[in-house]
Amino acid sequence: MPLPSLISRLRERLPQSLTGGAMLLVSATVVNLGNYIYNLILGRWLGPAAFADANLIVTLFLVITFVTVALQTTTAKFAAMYSASARPAASAELRRWLERGAWLSGMVGLLIFAIGAPFWQAFFHTESAWPFVMFALGVPFYFMLGVERGMLQGETRFGVLSLSYQAEMWSRLVIGIALVALGWSVLGATGGLTLSLVVAWLIARKSVPSTPGGQPLTVNERSTIIRFAVPVVAALIGQILINNGDVLIVKRFFEANEAGLYAAVALIGRIVFFATWSIVTVLFPIVAQRHHRGEAHRYLLYAGLGMVLVISAPIVAATIFWPELIVGLLFGAEYLSVAPLLGGYALGTTFYALSNVVISYRLSLDNGGGSMLGLAGGIAQVLALLLFHRDLNEVVLVQIYVKSGLFFALVAWDIWLLRQRGVRPTLASGPTAD
């Protein structure tokens, strides 16, 4: 198909499927900007050593995200199916069942971090154990938040979903900065994080209508949901390992000051991933609904990859050509020594952002093979970093090799799946159930 015809086709279809997500994309930009301002203020106010401790708590928050996002993705998948089939009672039962699981999992997480606080303090060489206790209090609310957001995402209520992300960011920014300004340092930053999760959960919960339930989910329905959740969890564990394992490994093996410098590089370099996550958030339920109805959806994969490239390319270019300027403006002169690492980190993150689109697309078609590849990539990166961390430059190089290798492996796998179905993998191909 000629390029003008393909563009015309996308213009006809994308407004029907993705226009509802435009607000989420704009909101995500504001949220990411607010979160970065928050971390930049912490980096400047606390200095590299204390910032390493504060960033550790944020990284642990991102680590447990695999539970929250697994709950959100699973809820979104089946809420999208029930919405497409006009089964509101089934959606209500889905919500109740998953909320119970989220609460129990959250209480387990609370105990792990609160009771184990002295161990975590010794393992990561932090100043105090109390930030771990403060962080633990927010874990149950964060897990339940995943279910509420999944309902909003699955029903493509992206406006209200955006509001919950905005509430989380603004409350964290205001409360956290106020507590740090009052002299609470790392504990204050952690308090802002915990309270922001509570605020976001309250707003999301009140935004999901209380629909009367019907019959409880059958054993077969629950088994189907659990089977779907397994590759979701695998994909997210891989994502956590790839996106956050490096920060934890550096915090473990490097001096506090050097770990703080690296945390700044990672924070800036991950802009690429967080600037593009909303594309996957919008893509997933729409593909799931179109697949469930037997409609064409392949073009959405190409659109998602294209949007990630459009967003990430200028960011990577800026980090390659003006790293000192970026690091100096954002974190100050104390952090300039690690500016040369910034371009490589952003490039590696771009490869993973592209990989995430392929994994999510295939997962929305009930194909968890990409999740297993993502998990393998995450494990490979952790093992490689445990073996090769002579200096921070080597830490970044390892990530470029692993993340680019994962993306090309996913592309090769996706093409192989198409060929197995006798479909030619062209830009214009649009099978309904590949």
Side-chain angles (χ1 to χ4, degrees), residues 90-108:
S91 289
E93 291 300 327
L94 171 74
R95 179 188 179 192
R96 291 188 182 93
W97 182 56
L98 289 177
E99 276 184 338
R100 288 196 293 271
W103 176 254
L104 291 174
S105 300
M107 293 307 296
V108 171

Side-chain angles (χ1 to χ4, degrees), residues 286-346:
I286 294 170
V287 172
Q289 287 183 355
R290 296 186 72 85
H291 178 62
H292 185 69
R293 292 193 292 256
E295 300 172 354
H297 47 66
R298 179 79 185 175
Y299 68 95
L300 290 171
L301 170 62
Y302 302 135
L305 291 171
M307 285 187 283
V308 168
L309 283 173
V310 167
I311 293 172
S312 61
I315 298 175
V316 173
T319 58
I320 290 174
F321 291 109
W322 304 289
E324 291 85 2
L325 177 63
I326 294 172
V327 172
L329 285 175
L330 296 181
F331 281 95
E334 285 184 284
Y335 295 82
L336 283 177
S337 61
V338 289
L341 303 177
L342 188 56
Y345 197 103

